[in-house]
Structure formats: structure tokens, C-alpha cells
Amino acid sequence: MIRTVGFIGLGHMGTPMVSRLVDAGVTVRAYDVSPEAREAFAAAVPGAAVVGSAAETADGAEAVLLCLPNSAIVESVVAELDPAEDSARVIVDMSSSEPLRTRALAASLADTGRVLVDAPVSGGVSGARAGTLAVMVGGPDDVVAGLEPLLAVMGRPRHVGPVGAGHALKALNNLMSAAHLVASSEAVLVGEEFGLDPAVMLEVVNGSSGRSGSTENKWPNHILPGTYGAGFGIGLLVKDIHIALDLAASTSVPTRHAAATVALWDEALAELGPTADHTEIARWLRDQGDVANR
Ligand code: NAD
């Protein structure tokens, strides 16, 4: 198994992912552009070395893992990495990035003998802590096979195709997840106003055909208790579903439902701001009803 890695992006997801790597005996050289994030990470994961730049993470590392907000940031961070022979040859983008930009980045790295693998994740902060993330891997067979034991420390890697395939699948997954959260929120709020107990509704739905990750996890753990702390910001979710919508536009598939879902989330983002937890959409929908009824 790969024993030494660089890791860039120590936010909600990166921090618990590195924590699992360190617990598995992997040597990690970690970096984040934000001093606050570096400080919080150093306190949370004392077993990892925090270095002073993106380039330093790659020194002596077999691979550099990225868990960053978007493709533009991934491209700028990759440009900071040293293409020299003694630096990491494999770069693994675990962010939720844009599949076509990922392919273009992989092609641009090939000149320097480096390989880009996309390995975005699903399962949220709780899945990152538990090491149960779904890891959707795109890249060449031999490189992906070499990475699998490392990725298995963080979750369940599944090789889904060539580079970019993981990012495409991840965006489509989040489109489904965003639609489920809106659908379940509208339905629970309607039931509640009719007089049903939301907890009873969820209990029954979770044994019925309406269930989803939203009814099984987001509603009972983050919305009903009023904590809204899933750890996934609306700004990142809206980025993902626009990636999915762009992907859809490159096909002949009619996606009117997806377009409506994205429009609703765009509105929520404009009102709640990018750092609000995505589960706050339920509160936002409820508040809109309250306003309409006044
Ligand atoms: P986050 O905003 O908590 O963390 C991102 C980190 O990247 C921040 O600490 C930020 O300072 C750092 N960063 C930004 N620009 C940088 C740069 N130029 N150099 C170095 N560091 C830089 O985001 P997150 O919730 O951890 O999500 C990370 C990625 O994982 C995103 O692509 C997101 O869509 C995806 N994702 C998130 C979740 C979730 O539940 N939070 C789940 C699955 C996938």
C-alpha cells in the first residue's frame, strides 16, 4: 500500500479523511491555504505534518490527494506542484470537480509524466469520519489498482471508468440527492401542516418506497433536531448540480425536472448564502410558507 502522501484541502471533508489515513499508519504531509484551517487541522490530527505550501506536500510522497472546493482551485493548486521527477507522480482529485476540466487537466499533466486520477466521494462528514465514503474512481487501470488499498482506508473505492468518469458520476449523484432533499422537505412540510407528526412520517417512509438518504439521514439527524449541521455548504451543492446540468446539456436527454431542481437551489443559495448548511433548505421552504400565509 502507498505509505506516504501529500494532502491539500483540510476542510470539513479533508480533515477527517486525513485522520483516517494517519490512523492507518500513512505518513501525511498536509496543507491548506487558510491559516485557520491549518490550525484547526493541526489540533484535530496531531499525527500529520502540516507544511507551508502545496508544493511541499509532494516532497517524497507517492501521491498527492486533493480535497478542494472546485475545478478552478484544483487547476491552480496542481500548477503549484513541482513536475520534477522526485515529486509525486500521481495526483488524486477527491474534490467534486467538473469532468471535462478534469480530463483536460489529466491531458496537460501527461507531458510531465504525471497521472491524474479523479476519486470524488459521497457520504458526508459522518462518512469521512467513519471511513465509509463511496469513492468513485476514474483513471487508468494500473494506477487505480495501485491506489485502491489507500482509498479503502477512507471508504469503498469503485473504479467507474477513465479519468473524469468519477467526477461525472459524483455530479449526477448529487443531482439526485439535491432532488430527494427538496422532494422530501416539501412532502414532510405538507404532512406536518396537515397534522401528521414528521417523526412518524419519516419512520413510515423509511420502510416505504419514498425513502432516500434525505429521509434516512438528513431529516432525522440534521433537520428535525434543528441543528442543520451536516457539514456540506449550499454553495458546494449548487456547484455540483450545475455540473450535472451542464453534463445533461451535452446529451440528448430531456432534464426538465433537473432544471427545476437547480433553479430552486439557486434561489435558496441567493437567500441563504454559500456557507449555510445544505439541510437549511428545509427551514427555508418552511419559512417561505410562513411568509405566504401571513
Ligand atoms: P471546505 O470548504 O470545508 O474545505 C475546502 C478547503 O480547501 C478549505 O479549508 C479551503 O481553505 C481549502 N482551499 C481552498 N483553496 C485552496 C488553495 N488554493 N490551496 C489550498 N487549500 C485551499 O469544503 P468540504 O466540505 O471539505 O468539501 C471539499 C470538496 O469535497 C468539495 O469539492 C465538495 O464539493 C466535496 N464534498 C463535500 C462533502 C461534504 O459533505 N462537505 C461531501 C462530498 C464531497
Side-chain angles (χ1 to χ4, degrees):
M1 177 167 119
I2 290 174
R3 283 279 155 214
T4 308
V5 300
F7 200 108
I8 307 174
L10 309 173
H12 285 100
M13 295 297 283
T15 297
M17 287 158 76
V18 175
S19 177
R20 289 206 61 90
L21 292 172
V22 168
D23 287 348
V26 178
T27 300
V28 183
R29 296 167 65 77
Y31 176 71
D32 193 292
V33 75
S34 149
E36 294 78 30
R38 290 201 298 271
E39 213 169 289
F41 170 84
V45 192
V50 179
V51 297
S53 70
E56 284 172 60
T57 65
D59 287 348
E62 293 162 83
V64 174
L65 278 46
L66 313 175
C67 192
L68 294 163
N70 57 45
S71 282
I73 294 176
V74 166
E75 287 159 3
S76 78
V77 166
V78 168
E80 291 172 39
L81 299 177
D82 189 351
E85 280 294 333
D86 56 355
S87 191
R89 310 317 295 159
V90 177
I91 299 169
V92 186
D93 183 12
M94 305 191 76
S95 330
S96 304
S97 306
E98 298 169 45
L100 292 179
R101 287 175 83 161
T102 301
R103 280 192 190 162
L105 184 60
S108 74
L109 289 175
D111 286 349
T112 59
R114 291 177 295 170
V115 180
L116 179 71
V117 168
D118 49 324
V121 298
S122 178
V125 172
S126 57
R129 287 197 188 114
T132 56
L133 294 169
V135 190
M136 309 166 204
V137 193
D141 290 348
D142 55 337
V143 180
V144 171
L147 283 167
E148 265 165 358
L150 179 80
L151 298 176
V153 172
M154 295 174 275
R156 300 177 310 275
R158 175 77 165 85
H159 189 190
V160 299
V163 66
H167 283 151
L169 179 52
K170 168 64 186 170
L172 293 169
N173 173 80
N174 278 25
L175 175 62
M176 289 187 242
S177 171
H180 296 161
L181 185 51
V182 169
S184 59
S185 296
E186 288 180 351
V188 173
L189 293 171
V190 168
E192 193 178 27
E193 207 162 308
F194 182 76
L196 289 165
D197 179 338
V200 173
M201 282 185 79
L202 290 166
E203 182 193 318
V204 174
V205 166
N206 285 334
S208 308
S209 53
R211 70 183 180 279
S212 66
S214 295
T215 60
E216 289 176 340
N217 171 27
K218 293 173 190 184
W219 261 91
N221 295 328
H222 303 292
I223 300 172
L224 272 193
T227 44
Y228 304 100
F232 185 36
I234 288 190
L236 291 175
L237 176 65
V238 169
K239 169 221 24 168
D240 294 341
I241 61 182
H242 275 280
I243 296 172
L245 206 56
D246 288 348
L247 192 63
S250 72
T251 72
S252 66
V253 180
T255 48
R256 291 185 292 279
H257 183 276
T261 297
V262 172
L264 199 124
W265 278 99
D266 278 343
E267 230 185 279
L269 170 65
E271 290 196 19
L272 297 174
T275 56
D277 196 78
H278 74 298
T279 55
E280 293 217 28
I281 188 111
R283 175 155 61 183
W284 179 74
L285 288 168
R286 178 185 280 130
D287 290 349
Q288 288 196 324
D290 288 342
V291 170
N293 291 335
R294 258 179 233 142

PDB file of all heavy atoms in Angstrom, residues 70-108:
ATOM      1  N   ASN A  70     -13.349  23.367  -5.901  1.00  0.00           N
ATOM      2  CA  ASN A  70     -13.834  23.283  -7.294  1.00  0.00           C
ATOM      3  C   ASN A  70     -12.676  23.139  -8.282  1.00  0.00           C
ATOM      4  O   ASN A  70     -11.502  23.210  -7.895  1.00  0.00           O
ATOM      5  CB  ASN A  70     -14.681  24.519  -7.628  1.00  0.00           C
ATOM      6  CG  ASN A  70     -13.901  25.809  -7.418  1.00  0.00           C
ATOM      7  OD1 ASN A  70     -12.748  25.915  -7.814  1.00  0.00           O
ATOM      8  ND2 ASN A  70     -14.525  26.787  -6.780  1.00  0.00           N
ATOM      9  N   SER A  71     -13.032  22.973  -9.568  1.00  0.00           N
ATOM     10  CA  SER A  71     -12.026  22.738 -10.615  1.00  0.00           C
ATOM     11  C   SER A  71     -11.025  23.879 -10.738  1.00  0.00           C
ATOM     12  O   SER A  71      -9.828  23.642 -10.948  1.00  0.00           O
ATOM     13  CB  SER A  71     -12.712  22.549 -11.973  1.00  0.00           C
ATOM     14  OG  SER A  71     -13.253  21.261 -12.069  1.00  0.00           O
ATOM     15  N   ALA A  72     -11.506  25.121 -10.640  1.00  0.00           N
ATOM     16  CA  ALA A  72     -10.588  26.256 -10.816  1.00  0.00           C
ATOM     17  C   ALA A  72      -9.489  26.201  -9.756  1.00  0.00           C
ATOM     18  O   ALA A  72      -8.304  26.418 -10.062  1.00  0.00           O
ATOM     19  CB  ALA A  72     -11.369  27.568 -10.728  1.00  0.00           C
ATOM     20  N   ILE A  73      -9.871  25.887  -8.519  1.00  0.00           N
ATOM     21  CA  ILE A  73      -8.879  25.834  -7.435  1.00  0.00           C
ATOM     22  C   ILE A  73      -7.977  24.609  -7.619  1.00  0.00           C
ATOM     23  O   ILE A  73      -6.760  24.681  -7.415  1.00  0.00           O
ATOM     24  CB  ILE A  73      -9.592  25.864  -6.062  1.00  0.00           C
ATOM     25  CG1 ILE A  73     -10.269  27.229  -5.885  1.00  0.00           C
ATOM     26  CG2 ILE A  73      -8.614  25.582  -4.926  1.00  0.00           C
ATOM     27  CD1 ILE A  73     -11.101  27.372  -4.620  1.00  0.00           C
ATOM     28  N   VAL A  74      -8.564  23.494  -8.043  1.00  0.00           N
ATOM     29  CA  VAL A  74      -7.746  22.299  -8.303  1.00  0.00           C
ATOM     30  C   VAL A  74      -6.676  22.621  -9.355  1.00  0.00           C
ATOM     31  O   VAL A  74      -5.492  22.311  -9.175  1.00  0.00           O
ATOM     32  CB  VAL A  74      -8.639  21.120  -8.774  1.00  0.00           C
ATOM     33  CG1 VAL A  74      -7.794  19.989  -9.371  1.00  0.00           C
ATOM     34  CG2 VAL A  74      -9.470  20.599  -7.606  1.00  0.00           C
ATOM     35  N   GLU A  75      -7.074  23.290 -10.433  1.00  0.00           N
ATOM     36  CA  GLU A  75      -6.111  23.612 -11.502  1.00  0.00           C
ATOM     37  C   GLU A  75      -4.995  24.522 -10.977  1.00  0.00           C
ATOM     38  O   GLU A  75      -3.819  24.309 -11.291  1.00  0.00           O
ATOM     39  CB  GLU A  75      -6.838  24.298 -12.666  1.00  0.00           C
ATOM     40  CG  GLU A  75      -7.701  23.328 -13.470  1.00  0.00           C
ATOM     41  CD  GLU A  75      -8.808  24.018 -14.280  1.00  0.00           C
ATOM     42  OE1 GLU A  75      -8.873  25.270 -14.267  1.00  0.00           O
ATOM     43  OE2 GLU A  75      -9.610  23.304 -14.895  1.00  0.00           O
ATOM     44  N   SER A  76      -5.363  25.511 -10.155  1.00  0.00           N
ATOM     45  CA  SER A  76      -4.315  26.428  -9.687  1.00  0.00           C
ATOM     46  C   SER A  76      -3.388  25.721  -8.694  1.00  0.00           C
ATOM     47  O   SER A  76      -2.179  25.958  -8.697  1.00  0.00           O
ATOM     48  CB  SER A  76      -4.917  27.716  -9.112  1.00  0.00           C
ATOM     49  OG  SER A  76      -5.408  27.491  -7.832  1.00  0.00           O
ATOM     50  N   VAL A  77      -3.935  24.825  -7.874  1.00  0.00           N
ATOM     51  CA  VAL A  77      -3.082  24.109  -6.913  1.00  0.00           C
ATOM     52  C   VAL A  77      -2.163  23.123  -7.648  1.00  0.00           C
ATOM     53  O   VAL A  77      -0.975  23.006  -7.330  1.00  0.00           O
ATOM     54  CB  VAL A  77      -3.958  23.387  -5.852  1.00  0.00           C
ATOM     55  CG1 VAL A  77      -3.152  22.365  -5.069  1.00  0.00           C
ATOM     56  CG2 VAL A  77      -4.582  24.408  -4.912  1.00  0.00           C
ATOM     57  N   VAL A  78      -2.696  22.438  -8.659  1.00  0.00           N
ATOM     58  CA  VAL A  78      -1.859  21.494  -9.411  1.00  0.00           C
ATOM     59  C   VAL A  78      -0.707  22.245 -10.091  1.00  0.00           C
ATOM     60  O   VAL A  78       0.418  21.753 -10.158  1.00  0.00           O
ATOM     61  CB  VAL A  78      -2.710  20.694 -10.427  1.00  0.00           C
ATOM     62  CG1 VAL A  78      -1.828  19.941 -11.413  1.00  0.00           C
ATOM     63  CG2 VAL A  78      -3.626  19.723  -9.689  1.00  0.00           C
ATOM     64  N   ALA A  79      -0.994  23.484 -10.533  1.00  0.00           N
ATOM     65  CA  ALA A  79       0.065  24.294 -11.172  1.00  0.00           C
ATOM     66  C   ALA A  79       1.177  24.637 -10.179  1.00  0.00           C
ATOM     67  O   ALA A  79       2.308  24.905 -10.580  1.00  0.00           O
ATOM     68  CB  ALA A  79      -0.542  25.565 -11.762  1.00  0.00           C
ATOM     69  N   GLU A  80       0.850  24.617  -8.880  1.00  0.00           N
ATOM     70  CA  GLU A  80       1.870  24.921  -7.859  1.00  0.00           C
ATOM     71  C   GLU A  80       2.753  23.715  -7.559  1.00  0.00           C
ATOM     72  O   GLU A  80       3.801  23.844  -6.926  1.00  0.00           O
ATOM     73  CB  GLU A  80       1.195  25.356  -6.544  1.00  0.00           C
ATOM     74  CG  GLU A  80       0.495  26.699  -6.606  1.00  0.00           C
ATOM     75  CD  GLU A  80      -0.313  26.970  -5.335  1.00  0.00           C
ATOM     76  OE1 GLU A  80       0.152  26.624  -4.235  1.00  0.00           O
ATOM     77  OE2 GLU A  80      -1.423  27.508  -5.461  1.00  0.00           O
ATOM     78  N   LEU A  81       2.303  22.517  -7.970  1.00  0.00           N
ATOM     79  CA  LEU A  81       3.091  21.310  -7.658  1.00  0.00           C
ATOM     80  C   LEU A  81       4.278  21.221  -8.611  1.00  0.00           C
ATOM     81  O   LEU A  81       4.168  21.563  -9.789  1.00  0.00           O
ATOM     82  CB  LEU A  81       2.223  20.051  -7.783  1.00  0.00           C
ATOM     83  CG  LEU A  81       1.019  19.977  -6.845  1.00  0.00           C
ATOM     84  CD1 LEU A  81       0.211  18.711  -7.117  1.00  0.00           C
ATOM     85  CD2 LEU A  81       1.477  20.009  -5.385  1.00  0.00           C
ATOM     86  N   ASP A  82       5.381  20.719  -8.096  1.00  0.00           N
ATOM     87  CA  ASP A  82       6.610  20.638  -8.876  1.00  0.00           C
ATOM     88  C   ASP A  82       6.550  19.424  -9.808  1.00  0.00           C
ATOM     89  O   ASP A  82       6.361  18.302  -9.346  1.00  0.00           O
ATOM     90  CB  ASP A  82       7.772  20.494  -7.874  1.00  0.00           C
ATOM     91  CG  ASP A  82       9.109  20.629  -8.544  1.00  0.00           C
ATOM     92  OD1 ASP A  82       9.134  20.658  -9.791  1.00  0.00           O
ATOM     93  OD2 ASP A  82      10.116  20.721  -7.820  1.00  0.00           O
ATOM     94  N   PRO A  83       6.721  19.638 -11.129  1.00  0.00           N
ATOM     95  CA  PRO A  83       6.671  18.489 -12.040  1.00  0.00           C
ATOM     96  C   PRO A  83       7.959  17.656 -12.046  1.00  0.00           C
ATOM     97  O   PRO A  83       8.067  16.687 -12.799  1.00  0.00           O
ATOM     98  CB  PRO A  83       6.439  19.141 -13.415  1.00  0.00           C
ATOM     99  CG  PRO A  83       6.973  20.517 -13.291  1.00  0.00           C
ATOM    100  CD  PRO A  83       6.896  20.915 -11.835  1.00  0.00           C
ATOM    101  N   ALA A  84       8.951  18.002 -11.208  1.00  0.00           N
ATOM    102  CA  ALA A  84      10.244  17.300 -11.229  1.00  0.00           C
ATOM    103  C   ALA A  84      10.086  15.823 -10.884  1.00  0.00           C
ATOM    104  O   ALA A  84       9.143  15.439 -10.188  1.00  0.00           O
ATOM    105  CB  ALA A  84      11.197  17.958 -10.242  1.00  0.00           C
ATOM    106  N   GLU A  85      11.029  15.007 -11.355  1.00  0.00           N
ATOM    107  CA  GLU A  85      10.994  13.548 -11.195  1.00  0.00           C
ATOM    108  C   GLU A  85      10.844  13.097  -9.737  1.00  0.00           C
ATOM    109  O   GLU A  85      10.226  12.080  -9.458  1.00  0.00           O
ATOM    110  CB  GLU A  85      12.282  12.925 -11.766  1.00  0.00           C
ATOM    111  CG  GLU A  85      12.277  12.774 -13.275  1.00  0.00           C
ATOM    112  CD  GLU A  85      11.240  11.779 -13.771  1.00  0.00           C
ATOM    113  OE1 GLU A  85      10.889  10.866 -13.012  1.00  0.00           O
ATOM    114  OE2 GLU A  85      10.758  11.937 -14.911  1.00  0.00           O
ATOM    115  N   ASP A  86      11.454  13.839  -8.799  1.00  0.00           N
ATOM    116  CA  ASP A  86      11.450  13.381  -7.404  1.00  0.00           C
ATOM    117  C   ASP A  86      10.191  13.821  -6.649  1.00  0.00           C
ATOM    118  O   ASP A  86      10.062  13.632  -5.450  1.00  0.00           O
ATOM    119  CB  ASP A  86      12.707  13.869  -6.670  1.00  0.00           C
ATOM    120  CG  ASP A  86      12.844  15.383  -6.758  1.00  0.00           C
ATOM    121  OD1 ASP A  86      12.032  16.020  -7.464  1.00  0.00           O
ATOM    122  OD2 ASP A  86      13.756  15.926  -6.109  1.00  0.00           O
ATOM    123  N   SER A  87       9.235  14.399  -7.367  1.00  0.00           N
ATOM    124  CA  SER A  87       7.977  14.797  -6.734  1.00  0.00           C
ATOM    125  C   SER A  87       6.919  13.745  -7.080  1.00  0.00           C
ATOM    126  O   SER A  87       7.128  12.931  -7.975  1.00  0.00           O
ATOM    127  CB  SER A  87       7.599  16.173  -7.278  1.00  0.00           C
ATOM    128  OG  SER A  87       6.561  16.714  -6.539  1.00  0.00           O
ATOM    129  N   ALA A  88       5.768  13.773  -6.392  1.00  0.00           N
ATOM    130  CA  ALA A  88       4.753  12.720  -6.596  1.00  0.00           C
ATOM    131  C   ALA A  88       4.316  12.642  -8.062  1.00  0.00           C
ATOM    132  O   ALA A  88       4.062  13.667  -8.690  1.00  0.00           O
ATOM    133  CB  ALA A  88       3.555  12.997  -5.704  1.00  0.00           C
ATOM    134  N   ARG A  89       4.212  11.420  -8.587  1.00  0.00           N
ATOM    135  CA  ARG A  89       3.814  11.221  -9.997  1.00  0.00           C
ATOM    136  C   ARG A  89       2.307  11.060 -10.143  1.00  0.00           C
ATOM    137  O   ARG A  89       1.791  11.100 -11.253  1.00  0.00           O
ATOM    138  CB  ARG A  89       4.493   9.979 -10.609  1.00  0.00           C
ATOM    139  CG  ARG A  89       5.984   9.834 -10.464  1.00  0.00           C
ATOM    140  CD  ARG A  89       6.773  11.098 -10.689  1.00  0.00           C
ATOM    141  NE  ARG A  89       6.733  11.641 -12.037  1.00  0.00           N
ATOM    142  CZ  ARG A  89       7.001  12.903 -12.354  1.00  0.00           C
ATOM    143  NH1 ARG A  89       7.273  13.788 -11.408  1.00  0.00           N
ATOM    144  NH2 ARG A  89       6.954  13.311 -13.595  1.00  0.00           N
ATOM    145  N   VAL A  90       1.629  10.779  -9.033  1.00  0.00           N
ATOM    146  CA  VAL A  90       0.185  10.539  -9.106  1.00  0.00           C
ATOM    147  C   VAL A  90      -0.549  11.621  -8.303  1.00  0.00           C
ATOM    148  O   VAL A  90      -0.210  11.884  -7.149  1.00  0.00           O
ATOM    149  CB  VAL A  90      -0.167   9.138  -8.545  1.00  0.00           C
ATOM    150  CG1 VAL A  90      -1.679   8.919  -8.561  1.00  0.00           C
ATOM    151  CG2 VAL A  90       0.536   8.053  -9.346  1.00  0.00           C
ATOM    152  N   ILE A  91      -1.522  12.252  -8.937  1.00  0.00           N
ATOM    153  CA  ILE A  91      -2.338  13.272  -8.270  1.00  0.00           C
ATOM    154  C   ILE A  91      -3.780  12.755  -8.264  1.00  0.00           C
ATOM    155  O   ILE A  91      -4.295  12.334  -9.308  1.00  0.00           O
ATOM    156  CB  ILE A  91      -2.232  14.615  -9.017  1.00  0.00           C
ATOM    157  CG1 ILE A  91      -0.770  15.090  -9.004  1.00  0.00           C
ATOM    158  CG2 ILE A  91      -3.148  15.665  -8.384  1.00  0.00           C
ATOM    159  CD1 ILE A  91      -0.489  16.259  -9.928  1.00  0.00           C
ATOM    160  N   VAL A  92      -4.383  12.754  -7.098  1.00  0.00           N
ATOM    161  CA  VAL A  92      -5.730  12.200  -6.961  1.00  0.00           C
ATOM    162  C   VAL A  92      -6.672  13.322  -6.555  1.00  0.00           C
ATOM    163  O   VAL A  92      -6.560  13.862  -5.452  1.00  0.00           O
ATOM    164  CB  VAL A  92      -5.750  11.082  -5.890  1.00  0.00           C
ATOM    165  CG1 VAL A  92      -7.116  10.412  -5.853  1.00  0.00           C
ATOM    166  CG2 VAL A  92      -4.653  10.062  -6.147  1.00  0.00           C
ATOM    167  N   ASP A  93      -7.586  13.678  -7.450  1.00  0.00           N
ATOM    168  CA  ASP A  93      -8.523  14.760  -7.140  1.00  0.00           C
ATOM    169  C   ASP A  93      -9.789  14.177  -6.510  1.00  0.00           C
ATOM    170  O   ASP A  93     -10.650  13.634  -7.194  1.00  0.00           O
ATOM    171  CB  ASP A  93      -8.861  15.562  -8.407  1.00  0.00           C
ATOM    172  CG  ASP A  93      -9.785  16.730  -8.068  1.00  0.00           C
ATOM    173  OD1 ASP A  93      -9.958  17.031  -6.867  1.00  0.00           O
ATOM    174  OD2 ASP A  93     -10.330  17.343  -9.010  1.00  0.00           O
ATOM    175  N   MET A  94      -9.880  14.316  -5.186  1.00  0.00           N
ATOM    176  CA  MET A  94     -11.026  13.787  -4.450  1.00  0.00           C
ATOM    177  C   MET A  94     -12.112  14.859  -4.277  1.00  0.00           C
ATOM    178  O   MET A  94     -13.129  14.623  -3.632  1.00  0.00           O
ATOM    179  CB  MET A  94     -10.574  13.230  -3.095  1.00  0.00           C
ATOM    180  CG  MET A  94      -9.474  12.179  -3.267  1.00  0.00           C
ATOM    181  SD  MET A  94      -9.100  11.238  -1.796  1.00  0.00           S
ATOM    182  CE  MET A  94     -10.492  10.108  -1.718  1.00  0.00           C
ATOM    183  N   SER A  95     -11.889  16.040  -4.856  1.00  0.00           N
ATOM    184  CA  SER A  95     -12.901  17.099  -4.842  1.00  0.00           C
ATOM    185  C   SER A  95     -14.029  16.713  -5.786  1.00  0.00           C
ATOM    186  O   SER A  95     -13.888  15.806  -6.599  1.00  0.00           O
ATOM    187  CB  SER A  95     -12.294  18.413  -5.342  1.00  0.00           C
ATOM    188  OG  SER A  95     -10.920  18.503  -5.052  1.00  0.00           O
ATOM    189  N   SER A  96     -15.140  17.440  -5.703  1.00  0.00           N
ATOM    190  CA  SER A  96     -16.222  17.256  -6.680  1.00  0.00           C
ATOM    191  C   SER A  96     -15.983  18.277  -7.790  1.00  0.00           C
ATOM    192  O   SER A  96     -16.435  19.414  -7.697  1.00  0.00           O
ATOM    193  CB  SER A  96     -17.584  17.477  -6.020  1.00  0.00           C
ATOM    194  OG  SER A  96     -17.728  16.628  -4.912  1.00  0.00           O
ATOM    195  N   SER A  97     -15.275  17.862  -8.814  1.00  0.00           N
ATOM    196  CA  SER A  97     -14.835  18.780  -9.874  1.00  0.00           C
ATOM    197  C   SER A  97     -15.623  18.535 -11.155  1.00  0.00           C
ATOM    198  O   SER A  97     -16.470  17.653 -11.218  1.00  0.00           O
ATOM    199  CB  SER A  97     -13.334  18.600 -10.126  1.00  0.00           C
ATOM    200  OG  SER A  97     -12.615  18.745  -8.927  1.00  0.00           O
ATOM    201  N   GLU A  98     -15.291  19.324 -12.187  1.00  0.00           N
ATOM    202  CA  GLU A  98     -16.013  19.230 -13.472  1.00  0.00           C
ATOM    203  C   GLU A  98     -15.329  18.191 -14.364  1.00  0.00           C
ATOM    204  O   GLU A  98     -14.142  18.333 -14.673  1.00  0.00           O
ATOM    205  CB  GLU A  98     -15.998  20.592 -14.171  1.00  0.00           C
ATOM    206  CG  GLU A  98     -16.693  21.674 -13.375  1.00  0.00           C
ATOM    207  CD  GLU A  98     -16.450  23.055 -13.949  1.00  0.00           C
ATOM    208  OE1 GLU A  98     -16.549  23.232 -15.166  1.00  0.00           O
ATOM    209  OE2 GLU A  98     -16.145  23.964 -13.157  1.00  0.00           O
ATOM    210  N   PRO A  99     -16.070  17.185 -14.831  1.00  0.00           N
ATOM    211  CA  PRO A  99     -15.435  16.081 -15.554  1.00  0.00           C
ATOM    212  C   PRO A  99     -14.623  16.487 -16.783  1.00  0.00           C
ATOM    213  O   PRO A  99     -13.538  15.950 -17.004  1.00  0.00           O
ATOM    214  CB  PRO A  99     -16.603  15.174 -15.955  1.00  0.00           C
ATOM    215  CG  PRO A  99     -17.857  15.853 -15.541  1.00  0.00           C
ATOM    216  CD  PRO A  99     -17.509  16.976 -14.625  1.00  0.00           C
ATOM    217  N   LEU A 100     -15.104  17.462 -17.560  1.00  0.00           N
ATOM    218  CA  LEU A 100     -14.360  17.823 -18.771  1.00  0.00           C
ATOM    219  C   LEU A 100     -13.072  18.572 -18.430  1.00  0.00           C
ATOM    220  O   LEU A 100     -12.036  18.380 -19.061  1.00  0.00           O
ATOM    221  CB  LEU A 100     -15.239  18.662 -19.720  1.00  0.00           C
ATOM    222  CG  LEU A 100     -16.405  17.875 -20.329  1.00  0.00           C
ATOM    223  CD1 LEU A 100     -17.249  18.771 -21.230  1.00  0.00           C
ATOM    224  CD2 LEU A 100     -15.898  16.656 -21.114  1.00  0.00           C
ATOM    225  N   ARG A 101     -13.124  19.396 -17.390  1.00  0.00           N
ATOM    226  CA  ARG A 101     -11.901  20.087 -16.945  1.00  0.00           C
ATOM    227  C   ARG A 101     -10.915  19.076 -16.365  1.00  0.00           C
ATOM    228  O   ARG A 101      -9.699  19.232 -16.499  1.00  0.00           O
ATOM    229  CB  ARG A 101     -12.246  21.168 -15.920  1.00  0.00           C
ATOM    230  CG  ARG A 101     -12.919  22.361 -16.582  1.00  0.00           C
ATOM    231  CD  ARG A 101     -13.370  23.393 -15.582  1.00  0.00           C
ATOM    232  NE  ARG A 101     -12.309  24.303 -15.165  1.00  0.00           N
ATOM    233  CZ  ARG A 101     -12.536  25.486 -14.599  1.00  0.00           C
ATOM    234  NH1 ARG A 101     -13.779  25.894 -14.371  1.00  0.00           N
ATOM    235  NH2 ARG A 101     -11.537  26.273 -14.239  1.00  0.00           N
ATOM    236  N   THR A 102     -11.435  18.047 -15.722  1.00  0.00           N
ATOM    237  CA  THR A 102     -10.570  17.005 -15.161  1.00  0.00           C
ATOM    238  C   THR A 102      -9.828  16.282 -16.285  1.00  0.00           C
ATOM    239  O   THR A 102      -8.622  16.039 -16.197  1.00  0.00           O
ATOM    240  CB  THR A 102     -11.434  16.002 -14.359  1.00  0.00           C
ATOM    241  OG1 THR A 102     -12.088  16.736 -13.329  1.00  0.00           O
ATOM    242  CG2 THR A 102     -10.603  14.883 -13.770  1.00  0.00           C
ATOM    243  N   ARG A 103     -10.558  15.969 -17.354  1.00  0.00           N
ATOM    244  CA  ARG A 103      -9.911  15.302 -18.497  1.00  0.00           C
ATOM    245  C   ARG A 103      -8.832  16.192 -19.111  1.00  0.00           C
ATOM    246  O   ARG A 103      -7.748  15.718 -19.439  1.00  0.00           O
ATOM    247  CB  ARG A 103     -10.951  14.989 -19.574  1.00  0.00           C
ATOM    248  CG  ARG A 103     -11.734  13.768 -19.251  1.00  0.00           C
ATOM    249  CD  ARG A 103     -12.521  13.330 -20.468  1.00  0.00           C
ATOM    250  NE  ARG A 103     -13.448  12.297 -20.071  1.00  0.00           N
ATOM    251  CZ  ARG A 103     -14.502  11.931 -20.769  1.00  0.00           C
ATOM    252  NH1 ARG A 103     -14.770  12.516 -21.921  1.00  0.00           N
ATOM    253  NH2 ARG A 103     -15.293  10.975 -20.340  1.00  0.00           N
ATOM    254  N   ALA A 104      -9.147  17.483 -19.238  1.00  0.00           N
ATOM    255  CA  ALA A 104      -8.177  18.411 -19.843  1.00  0.00           C
ATOM    256  C   ALA A 104      -6.935  18.524 -18.952  1.00  0.00           C
ATOM    257  O   ALA A 104      -5.800  18.536 -19.443  1.00  0.00           O
ATOM    258  CB  ALA A 104      -8.821  19.774 -20.044  1.00  0.00           C
ATOM    259  N   LEU A 105      -7.160  18.564 -17.644  1.00  0.00           N
ATOM    260  CA  LEU A 105      -6.027  18.661 -16.708  1.00  0.00           C
ATOM    261  C   LEU A 105      -5.166  17.398 -16.793  1.00  0.00           C
ATOM    262  O   LEU A 105      -3.926  17.472 -16.809  1.00  0.00           O
ATOM    263  CB  LEU A 105      -6.560  18.870 -15.288  1.00  0.00           C
ATOM    264  CG  LEU A 105      -5.544  19.088 -14.172  1.00  0.00           C
ATOM    265  CD1 LEU A 105      -4.698  20.335 -14.445  1.00  0.00           C
ATOM    266  CD2 LEU A 105      -6.247  19.232 -12.815  1.00  0.00           C
ATOM    267  N   ALA A 106      -5.817  16.245 -16.875  1.00  0.00           N
ATOM    268  CA  ALA A 106      -5.073  14.973 -16.992  1.00  0.00           C
ATOM    269  C   ALA A 106      -4.210  14.984 -18.249  1.00  0.00           C
ATOM    270  O   ALA A 106      -3.037  14.587 -18.223  1.00  0.00           O
ATOM    271  CB  ALA A 106      -6.051  13.798 -17.030  1.00  0.00           C
ATOM    272  N   ALA A 107      -4.771  15.483 -19.348  1.00  0.00           N
ATOM    273  CA  ALA A 107      -4.027  15.519 -20.615  1.00  0.00           C
ATOM    274  C   ALA A 107      -2.829  16.457 -20.497  1.00  0.00           C
ATOM    275  O   ALA A 107      -1.736  16.151 -20.985  1.00  0.00           O
ATOM    276  CB  ALA A 107      -4.952  15.956 -21.744  1.00  0.00           C
ATOM    277  N   SER A 108      -3.014  17.585 -19.796  1.00  0.00           N
ATOM    278  CA  SER A 108      -1.907  18.544 -19.685  1.00  0.00           C
ATOM    279  C   SER A 108      -0.785  17.997 -18.792  1.00  0.00           C
ATOM    280  O   SER A 108       0.376  18.352 -18.952  1.00  0.00           O
ATOM    281  CB  SER A 108      -2.409  19.886 -19.157  1.00  0.00           C
ATOM    282  OG  SER A 108      -2.691  19.787 -17.781  1.00  0.00           O
TER     283      SER A 108
END
